[in-house]
Amino acid sequence: MPNTTDTCDVAVVGAGPAGLTAATYLCRFLRDCVVIDAGNSRAKWIPESHNCPGFPSGVSGSELLRRMREQAMDCGTRFEAAEVEHIAAPSDPDGIFVLASGTRQWQARCVILATGIVDKLPGAPWISDAVACGAIRLCAVCDAFEARDSCIGVYGPARDIGAHGLFLRAYSDRVYLLPSDDADGGEDVRRAVDAGVQLLAPGVALEFDGHHCRSTSADGTRLVFDALYPFLGGSTAARLAVAAGATLSDSGEIIVDRDQMTAQRGLFAIGDVVSGLNQIAVAVGHAAIAATRINALLPMAPR
Ligand SMILES: Cc1cc2nc3c(=O)[nH]c(=O)nc-3n(C[C@H](O)[C@H](O)[C@H](O)COP(=O)(O)OP(=O)(O)OC[C@H]3O[C@@H](n4cnc5c(N)ncnc54)[C@H](O)[C@@H]3O)c2cc1C
């Protein structure tokens, strides 16, 4: 049996930019809010972001998280280090959610899922070092600007890399598609090639020399990349959301309304877990919208 029970207005699952912003808004609405977090925000991977509003000289992901966490704590957010394994939805509209992690349990009137995504990465032991130094990039929208006029690689399944290659072509005339399979890349790859992106034969071997990623093609062609973008997809906590009453689209995304509420009343989803545009600014915007809606749903905070 669970041995810990907290009752609160809102339980936020996840302490990335989305969850931390939601907690700050909720506490400033005088709501009792707990953030339960497993500690693996994607933002931790950001060596230095240059598109984060308010930081013209850039900010590292860990520094941004530190500041956002401090802001949430300063107005009264409680934090719990745990991975939520199950969320049980209430059986009636005004009931409570029950969240569980091992033997621990929390109760909340509303729940925000801010659980992000987990990137699928090439299976090489040097991956985290390559991300840390910017040789591997995981977000072209975030940092293609810094890679302009350099040698850029786009790695992943043939059907997925064409559109990314075309997007990056605006930044450099040295963009290479590195298909990880021999499938037909379809119209997207053809459009990219027509625009001047170079398509390599499938089956390239990737290496990291401590500063750059390198590829060797089956025909012996060798390239050194200033930036290599793998597009291998990612996984979300959709299972947790569905068990709590959310519904998914045909492509597996959590369906939310304009206020970020799922099909289950009182259950919200924000940030990367729900957005195709995985950005700090989007996560923060979702959080403000969801927190404001939750404040309106709950009875007035007692004085
Ligand atoms: C290398 C890299 C560079 C990037 N650069 C930029 C950039 O320059 N600008 C930009 O806007 N964006 C950038 N991004 C994207 C940005 O990091 C994400 O959009 C942002 O972190 C999403 O915030 P989030 O709160 O939705 O999810 P996350 O930050 O991923 O946080 C989710 C949190 O939920 C926790 N969690 C998950 N499941 C559970 C569970 N069951 N129980 C408890 N906790 C759980 C996780 O451990 C994690 O702490 C970059 C991403 C990467 C990987």
Side-chain angles (χ1 to χ4, degrees):
M1 279 291 288
N3 60 11
T4 305
T5 302
D6 286 346
T7 305
C8 59
D9 290 324
V10 187
V12 179
V13 185
L20 292 171
T21 303
T24 297
Y25 271 68
L26 287 161
C27 286
R28 292 175 61 83
F29 290 140
L30 309 178
R31 299 301 178 180
D32 178 24
C33 176
V34 63
V35 175
I36 308 161
D37 183 45
N40 294 313
S41 167
R42 281 185 92 216
K44 276 187 177 177
W45 287 78
I46 306 175
E48 192 160 77
S49 173
H50 289 273
N51 76 341
C52 188
F55 294 92
S57 305
V59 61
S60 71
S62 50
E63 173 61 9
L64 182 69
L65 288 172
R66 190 194 65 73
R67 290 179 182 222
M68 294 180 105
R69 195 179 180 98
E70 181 183 324
Q71 194 170 10
M73 283 184 92
D74 280 354
C75 51
T77 303
R78 288 179 293 126
F79 285 90
E80 303 274 3
E83 179 168 349
V84 173
E85 289 154 1
H86 184 70
I87 303 172
S91 49
D92 63 272
D94 297 319
I96 55 171
F97 291 86
V98 180
L99 299 85
S101 173
T103 58
R104 305 180 71 191
Q105 182 171 296
W106 299 263
Q107 296 182 348
R109 292 196 184 93
C110 290
V111 171
I112 298 182
L113 287 173
T115 45
I117 61 168
V118 177
D119 294 289
K120 199 171 163 197
L121 295 169
W126 42 260
I127 281 295
S128 46
D129 289 340
V131 174
C133 77
I136 291 264
R137 310 276 183 94
L138 296 173
C139 176
V141 170
C142 308
D143 51 32
F145 184 81
E146 278 73 40
R148 62 194 186 279
D149 297 326
S150 69
C151 184
I152 301 173
V154 182
Y155 175 79
R159 68 176 186 284
D160 295 338
I161 54 179
H164 297 294
L166 192 58
F167 172 81
L168 285 158
R169 176 68 182 85
Y171 294 88
S172 174
D173 55 10
R174 287 179 295 150
V175 179
Y176 296 86
L177 297 181
L178 290 69
S180 58
D181 58 25
D182 56 9
D184 179 5
E187 193 53 35
D188 284 346
V189 165
R190 282 188 277 281
R191 286 179 61 216
V193 169
D194 286 348
V197 173
Q198 299 184 56
L199 176 63
L200 301 183
V204 292
L206 293 177
E207 295 166 281
F208 174 58
D209 65 11
H211 301 283
H212 297 93
C213 287
R214 298 166 174 267
S215 72
T216 306
S217 302
D219 65 2
T221 307
R222 291 178 64 83
L223 288 166
V224 181
F225 299 103
D226 299 300
L228 180 72
Y229 290 90
F231 288 101
L232 299 173
S235 57
T236 70
R239 180 192 54 78
L240 200 61
V242 170
T247 53
L248 305 183
S249 69
D250 290 344
S251 54
E253 285 160 356
I254 300 170
I255 297 173
V256 290
D257 68 12
R258 57 187 292 178
D259 293 321
Q260 305 298 134
M261 188 158 77
T262 69
Q264 172 67 47
R265 184 177 166 82
L267 177 69
F268 291 71
I270 61 174
D272 282 7
V273 70
V274 77
S275 170
L277 184 58
N278 297 333
Q279 293 286 290
I280 293 162
V282 174
V284 164
H286 284 173
I289 291 168
T292 304
R293 175 74 174 127
I294 288 173
N295 187 48
L297 274 182
L298 292 172
M300 184 183 289
R303 284 203 51 108

